[in-house]
């Protein structure tokens, strides 16, 4: 058996990290109830295992999603993950072939060249020398990029990078030391015993010309072992915990778990899967417009992970979901934030006396139209919709024409889930009594809650979908007005509900639609979302103006959206001359009303 005391820091660190990770895995799994644990086991011992292994390989090792965001960044991340994996795998095979023994000490592949001075004489020995040096070079090239990223973030497509905690810095420093120390240790040893490949061999031959390699080799193996040990001990407390955790996340996702209304074991796994890579930073308009950063997923998830109290990370967020779209790990940050908001707010004392006092009577109709409170504040949208429904001769009931009840979504977003349920129960009763088969909303926020939370037995459509259908079946016959238009995807309708094509199809029939840089899943938020509780008027106006300017780079005649809040936000920013170009802002229902020649509604 090969042994030297210098292997101890590595060995002790490895034992500690394995115990800590297994303890964490055990706790996460046992936070799930028995049926969920069975579900996890069934997933692992099923054909899904192939897709789990494939995803772990593609995402945890190769970082495919980061490659798609920026190839240089992807290369950098994968060189550490995939390169290190290959180094361990290659070293294991090499040491077993050399020792002719399937059972050697676990540290031998890591310190192979220290223990085996003559590494020739086994199959592919010279090939291994080349391959192992090549893998080391691959990792070192990633290390050079990681260092460059600290100075030239823009080369990696990033404007901002995350600020690191002390434990992250320690882990990062030890990680950065591991591979240069291995290079030096192997090169010094190669200078003594000529067992290096093209990299370590040549470097060793060069270093021996001016350094006392005999004295330096042994301390460098110690330093390499210490760097490994320190990294392992730091790993569970640092951002690098994301490495083992992301694998668990992939398994749990395949088993069908997601964060919904409670903070579960799965939520914990999501939180610890954040690598604090910082890719979400540039996507956040609150951050880019106001420089406030506590709400950023990288810091919000960190505060949840370390049980830090503080409102700002929870409340200072538009819940627009842009950050989620770019997150390479696919963490459901908004769901976690919503759950944590519910924990923050005291829900005692909910008072909805008006539900009893006001008369809410259902009317029989084929279609229910629910405008929503924001649409009532932008009456031209409501009037256009009513006029369009009449023109198409639809038998409809304007459910919230007067004395309306809110859909409950703003309460949900502010963390008052129970209060939102009280309103939902009343609305459910009214909808059921009307006998309608379809509910149409003008507000994407109402649409999302009716569709996802109400569990109604009728079809739910946003007016972009319904109006497009009415045009397609010939109930509305618009003419092409030939103005140039850009379309803004409201967050809750686009990213939130996946409705991207219907509004474009409809607008294509009445205007000349041009593309914008930030559209569809990367659309900008209008900045006025009800979900952001502390943002003041000035901040919201600034975000709206920034978004409107970016949307109107092609100088369109009209900026068209399909959310009353977005329309109000953009119209205000443009009318107040906060933007360089004052573009006309309209809702899609308003331009369709013009195109079907409805006047004086
Ligand atoms: S939330 Fe996603 S994008 Fe943001 S730092 Fe974490 S892993 Fe990276
Ligand atoms: S949801 Fe929107 S506002 Fe909130 S952190 Fe993400 S990008 Fe920023
Ligand atoms: S108001 Fe419009 S842009 Fe803003 S969060 Fe809501 S849907 Fe998104």
């Amino acid at each position: 058996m090969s042994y030297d005391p210098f292997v101890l820091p590595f060995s002790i660190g490895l034992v500690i990290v394995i115990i800590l990770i297994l303890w964490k895995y055990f706790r996460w799994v046992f936070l799930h109830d028995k049926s969920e644990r069975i579900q996890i086991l069934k997933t692992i011992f099923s054909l899904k295992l192939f897709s789990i292994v494939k995803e772990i390989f593609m995402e945890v090792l190769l970082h495919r999603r980061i490659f798609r965001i920026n190839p240089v960044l992807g290369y950098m991340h994968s060189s550490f993950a995939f390169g290190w994996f290959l180094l361990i795998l290659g070293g294991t095979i090499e040491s077993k072939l050399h020792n002719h023994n399937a059972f050697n000490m676990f540290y031998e592949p890591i310190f192979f060249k220290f223990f085996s001075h003559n590494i020739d004489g086994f199959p592919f020995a010279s090939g291994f020398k080349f391959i192992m040096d090549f893998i080391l070079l691959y990792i070192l090239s990633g290390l050079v990029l990681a260092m460059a990223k600290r100075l030239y973030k823009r080369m990696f497509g990033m404007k901002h990078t995350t600020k690191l905690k002390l434990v992250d810095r320690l882990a990062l420093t030890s990680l950065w030391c591991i591979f240069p120390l291995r290079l030096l240790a192997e090169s010094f040893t190669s200078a003594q015993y000529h067992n290096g490949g093209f990299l370590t061999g040549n470097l060793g031959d060069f270093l021996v010309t001016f350094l006392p390699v005999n004295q330096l080799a042994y301390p460098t193996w110690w330093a390499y072992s210490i760097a490994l040990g320190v990294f392992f001990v730091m790993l569970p407390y640092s951002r690098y915990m994301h490495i083992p955790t992301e694998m668990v996340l992939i398994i749990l996702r395949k088993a069908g778990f997601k964060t919904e209304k409670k903070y579960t074991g799965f939520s914990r796994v999501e939180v610890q899967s954040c690598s604090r890579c910082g890719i979400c930073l540039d996507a956040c308009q609150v951050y880019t417009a106001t420089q406030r950063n506590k709400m950023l997923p990288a810091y919000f998830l960190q505060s949840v992970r370390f049980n830090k109290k503080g409102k700002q990370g929870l409340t200072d967020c538009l819940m627009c979901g842009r950050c989620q779209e770019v997150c390479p790990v696919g963490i459901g940050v908004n769901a976690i934030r919503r759950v944590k908001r519910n924990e923050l707010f005291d829900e005692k004392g909910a008072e909805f006396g008006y539900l009893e006092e006001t008369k809410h009577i259902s009317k029989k109709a084929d279609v229910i139209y629910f405008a929503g409170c924001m649409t009532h504040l932008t009456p031209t949208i409501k009037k256009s919709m009513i006029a369009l429904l009449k023109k198409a001769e639809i038998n409809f009931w304007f459910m919230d024409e007067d004395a309306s009840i809110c859909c409950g979504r703003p309460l949900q977003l502010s963390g008052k889930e129970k209060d939102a349920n009280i309103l939902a129960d009343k609305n459910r009763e009214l909808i059921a009594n009307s006998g309608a088969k379809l509910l149409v909303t003008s507000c994407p926020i109402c649409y999302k809650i009716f569709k996802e939370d109400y569990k109604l037995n009728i079809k739910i459509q946003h007016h972009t979908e319904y109006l497009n259908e009415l045009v397609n079946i010939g109930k509305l016959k618009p003419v092409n007005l030939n103005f140039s238009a850009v379309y803004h995807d409201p967050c809750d309708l686009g990213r939130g509900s996946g409705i991207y094509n219907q509004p474009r199809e409809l607008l294509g029939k009445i205007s000349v639609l041009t593309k914008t840089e930030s559209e569809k899943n990367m659309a900008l938020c209008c900045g006025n979302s009800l979900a952001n509780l502390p943002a003041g008027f000035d901040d919201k106006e600034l975000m709206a103006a920034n978004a409107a300017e970016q949307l109107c780079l092609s100088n369109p005649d009209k900026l068209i959206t399909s959310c009353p809040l977005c329309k109000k936000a953009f119209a205000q920013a443009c009318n107040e001359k906060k933007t360089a170009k004052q573009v006309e802002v309209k809702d899609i229902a308003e331009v369709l009303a013009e195109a079907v020649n409805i006047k004086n509604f």
Side-chain angles (χ1 to χ4, degrees):
M1 183 184 84
S2 312
Y3 174 75
D4 189 282
F6 86 82
V7 303
L8 286 175
F10 162 79
S11 308
I12 294 167
L14 187 65
V15 171
I16 290 174
V17 78
I18 289 173
I19 292 173
L20 288 175
I21 289 175
L22 286 179
W23 168 239
K24 279 182 184 256
Y25 282 6
F26 180 80
R27 274 181 51 222
W28 294 334
V29 170
F30 275 83
L31 278 174
H32 292 95
D33 62 32
K34 195 176 166 200
S35 64
E36 289 173 331
R37 292 201 291 272
I38 293 172
Q39 199 179 328
I40 298 169
L41 284 176
K42 276 186 182 165
T43 306
I44 295 173
F45 296 104
S46 72
L47 288 177
K48 282 189 184 162
L49 185 62
F50 293 103
S51 65
I52 290 172
V53 172
K54 184 179 165 209
E55 195 171 336
I56 288 176
F57 185 76
M58 298 307 285
E59 303 304 339
V60 181
L61 293 180
L62 290 186
H63 290 286
R64 178 183 49 174
R65 288 194 200 110
I66 304 186
F67 259 105
R68 283 188 192 142
I69 294 166
N70 183 291
V72 188
L73 197 62
Y75 176 86
M76 187 201 94
H77 280 274
S78 70
S79 66
F80 278 103
F82 191 49
W84 203 356
F85 167 77
L86 289 178
L87 209 56
I88 295 167
L89 183 70
T92 306
I93 300 171
E94 187 185 31
S95 66
K96 291 196 189 315
L97 286 174
H98 176 266
N99 297 342
H100 307 290
N101 188 353
F103 303 100
N104 46 12
M105 290 304 288
F106 61 93
Y107 51 74
E108 280 186 59
I110 313 298
F111 306 112
F112 179 65
K113 283 191 185 155
F114 176 86
F115 291 115
S116 308
H117 297 152
N118 179 5
I119 59 169
D120 294 318
F122 66 90
F124 312 114
S126 54
F128 266 107
K129 272 190 201 169
F130 176 85
I131 291 167
M132 295 304 284
D133 271 19
F134 187 78
I135 298 169
L136 188 55
L137 188 61
Y138 170 44
I139 303 174
L140 290 168
S141 67
L143 176 63
V144 171
L145 287 174
M147 289 173 171
K149 181 168 155 267
R150 299 270 136 200
L151 299 171
Y152 309 106
K153 344 181 216 305
R154 284 176 193 268
M155 200 174 109
F156 299 80
M158 297 172 87
K159 289 188 192 137
H160 303 93
T161 47
T162 36
K163 294 185 186 77
L164 301 182
K165 281 167 69 94
L166 182 64
V167 66
D168 292 330
R169 280 182 196 281
L170 286 172
L172 179 80
T173 310
S174 52
L175 178 68
W176 280 9
C177 288
I178 289 170
F179 304 102
L181 284 170
R182 174 164 175 150
L183 174 71
L184 281 180
E186 290 197 347
S187 301
F188 289 145
T189 304
S190 164
Q192 291 174 298
Y193 302 103
H194 306 288
N195 61 359
F198 73 93
L199 179 67
T200 48
N202 285 322
L203 184 64
D205 291 347
F206 171 67
L207 293 175
V208 74
T209 58
F210 60 95
L211 286 176
V213 293
N214 289 348
Q215 282 85 50
L216 288 173
Y218 188 56
T220 315
W221 283 106
W222 262 100
Y224 170 49
S225 175
I226 290 170
L228 281 163
V230 171
F231 178 72
F232 289 149
V233 175
M234 292 290 147
L235 184 143
Y237 307 102
S238 70
R239 63 189 185 136
Y240 297 100
M241 186 59 199
H242 81 92
I243 304 165
T245 314
E246 200 182 337
M247 295 190 258
V248 184
L249 180 70
I250 290 170
I251 297 170
L252 294 183
R253 268 203 205 121
K254 293 277 179 201
F257 291 89
K258 60 179 178 182
T259 298
E260 283 178 305
K261 300 207 165 170
K262 281 193 191 139
Y263 190 72
T264 59
F266 175 79
S267 318
R268 236 170 252 255
V269 172
E270 278 198 299
V271 166
Q272 302 224 13
S273 294
C274 171
S275 60
R276 263 166 263 156
C277 64
I279 291 173
C280 53
L281 271 57
D282 294 332
C284 178
Q285 291 160 259
V286 179
Y287 180 47
T288 50
T290 70
Q291 293 303 303
R292 292 196 299 265
N293 66 6
K294 291 212 165 62
M295 90 304 291
L296 288 167
Y299 303 125
F300 164 67
L301 295 171
Q302 176 179 283
S303 70
V304 175
R305 178 178 169 188
F306 294 104
N307 267 327
K308 289 255 168 67
K309 300 278 175 240
K311 265 189 181 180
Q312 211 191 357
L314 278 175
T315 55
D316 195 8
C317 166
L318 300 161
M319 305 285 255
C320 69
R322 275 192 111 225
C323 52
Q324 272 183 207
E325 288 298 314
V326 294
C327 174
V329 187
I331 300 170
V333 195
N334 276 2
I336 297 170
R337 209 184 303 258
R338 220 174 99 182
V339 167
K340 287 286 163 188
R341 280 187 181 193
N342 289 345
E343 289 174 7
L344 183 76
F345 290 98
D346 178 9
E347 294 210 62
K348 277 181 211 135
E351 285 253 357
F352 289 104
Y354 82 92
L355 291 181
E356 302 306 323
E357 287 161 20
T358 320
K359 277 199 170 173
H360 300 287
I361 304 162
S362 306
K363 287 188 193 148
K364 295 287 173 197
D366 298 334
V367 174
I368 297 174
Y369 173 56
F370 189 92
C373 45
M374 288 315 301
T375 314
H376 283 287
L377 295 174
T378 41
T380 46
I381 302 177
K382 175 176 71 176
K383 287 178 186 164
S384 303
M385 276 304 293
I386 300 300
L388 287 164
L389 292 169
K390 284 184 180 161
K391 178 118 186 163
E393 297 174 349
I394 306 297
N395 168 22
F396 72 97
W397 169 41
F398 188 175
M399 180 173 162
D400 58 336
E401 185 171 7
D402 44 47
S404 74
I405 305 171
C406 174
C407 66
R409 181 107 176 131
L411 282 170
Q412 267 191 353
L413 290 174
S414 61
K416 301 198 168 218
E417 198 80 38
K418 284 186 204 149
D419 292 355
N421 289 341
I422 297 174
L423 299 183
D425 285 343
K426 187 72 195 173
N427 279 326
R428 246 182 239 114
E429 182 191 321
L430 292 170
I431 293 165
N433 290 344
S434 76
K437 297 279 173 291
L438 171 67
L439 170 66
V440 178
T441 75
S442 275
C443 172
I445 303 167
C446 306
Y447 171 76
K448 197 166 163 62
I449 189 169
F450 280 129
K451 188 123 184 163
E452 290 175 7
D453 290 17
Y454 271 63
K455 313 265 180 280
L456 296 168
N457 290 327
I458 63 172
K459 195 170 167 186
I460 320 288
Q461 287 193 317
H462 181 257
H463 73 226
T464 46
E465 295 172 284
Y466 188 51
L467 295 177
N468 190 40
E469 259 180 42
L470 291 179
V471 171
N472 284 344
I473 58 174
K475 288 213 165 211
L476 292 171
K477 296 186 175 65
V479 291
N480 197 328
L481 300 172
N482 279 320
F483 58 85
S484 68
V486 285
Y487 176 67
H488 164 253
D489 296 274
C491 309
D492 273 321
L493 193 66
R495 273 187 295 275
S497 305
I499 297 182
Y500 297 117
N501 296 332
Q502 296 90 329
R504 287 180 168 77
E505 194 183 319
L506 183 54
L507 283 174
K509 291 171 187 146
I510 51 182
S511 65
V512 180
L513 194 59
T514 52
K515 283 188 168 243
T516 67
E517 266 185 27
S518 312
E519 61 176 21
K520 297 196 172 170
N521 68 327
M522 284 316 292
L524 295 159
C525 176
C526 72
N528 281 231
S529 157
L530 304 173
N532 192 321
L533 308 180
F537 182 74
D538 288 348
D539 290 336
K540 291 188 170 189
E541 202 171 52
L542 186 64
M543 287 188 264
N546 286 350
E549 289 212 338
Q550 289 189 55
L551 280 161
C552 295
L553 286 175
S554 62
N555 282 334
D557 298 323
K558 292 187 209 291
L559 163 57
I560 297 173
T561 185
S562 44
C563 165
L565 192 52
C566 300
K567 189 209 152 179
K568 211 172 178 53
F570 289 135
Q572 216 149 27
C574 293
N575 293 343
E576 301 268 313
K577 302 201 185 332
K578 300 283 173 190
T579 52
K581 184 177 185 301
Q582 274 69 61
V583 67
E584 193 182 0
V585 182
K586 291 273 182 190
D587 184 273
I588 198 163
E590 295 172 279
V591 286
L592 182 64
E594 281 171 33
V596 296
N597 204 19
I598 297 174
K599 289 184 186 134
N600 305 324
F601 43 76

